[in-house]
Amino acid sequence: MTVLVRPVTAHDEAQWCALYAGYRSFYRLPDDPAAVRTTWQWVSGSEHGLLGLVAEDADGRLLGLADLRRFARPSSATTGLYLDDLFTAPAARHQGVATALLHEAAAVAAAEGASVVRWITAEDNTAARAVYDRVATATPWVTYDMRPSAV
């Protein structure tokens, strides 16, 4: 299968939203069309430093998406790209879509002078981790989430 990876365009809205709803479902997030629309607006409008990539086949069907955002790395005085979302349509899995998206993320990072592309995944996401282990290095860092609260 031929896979072309490119930046997201306004023309991609319907297919991107369907893929992103699939991404949310995969991670057992509730069905939330408003969240999908808001994220589309952020990605397609490059808000919050976001950059959207899509993978398409030769017929223009979207096969996957990657949403990245730029972040500062004060400890190294560099910038990086954080991969917030990566998703391949179920029918297109095991055909190099995720790898192509990750390679393009690395190329964008290099072109921007970024020092890293970083992401997290669930420990039990073995299919994705098999891809990630081929293109990146797992780190020893543990991730925490803290809820906002008034002091």
Side-chain angles (χ1 to χ4, degrees), residues 6-135:
R6 60 171 175 75
V8 70
T9 68
H11 176 73
D12 298 322
E13 181 175 5
Q15 291 187 76
W16 185 96
C17 287
L19 282 171
Y20 198 72
Y23 168 83
R24 289 180 53 84
S25 177
F26 178 83
Y27 281 105
R28 295 179 182 88
L29 296 169
D31 183 33
D32 188 346
V36 172
R37 279 191 310 277
T38 296
T39 306
W40 167 253
Q41 290 169 348
W42 290 351
V43 170
S44 64
S46 300
E47 295 180 38
H48 307 291
L50 282 166
L51 164 68
L53 300 174
V54 290
E56 67 181 359
D57 67 13
D59 296 322
R61 285 185 298 262
L62 295 192
L63 307 170
L65 61 82
D67 300 326
L68 300 124
R69 90 185 118 86
R70 296 158 180 96
F71 70 100
R73 302 186 69 208
S75 62
S76 62
T78 63
T79 59
L81 290 179
Y82 190 85
L83 178 66
D84 279 302
D85 311 313
L86 178 68
F87 184 72
T88 299
R93 292 189 182 149
H94 308 290
Q95 298 180 44
V97 175
T99 300
L101 286 161
L102 290 167
H103 283 299
E104 183 63 18
V108 169
E112 292 189 1
S115 60
V116 71
V117 178
R118 176 173 288 157
W119 65 91
I120 61 172
T121 194
E123 187 174 5
D124 65 351
N125 192 355
T126 55
R129 291 185 69 192
V131 174
Y132 302 160
D133 288 343
R134 285 194 301 271
V135 299

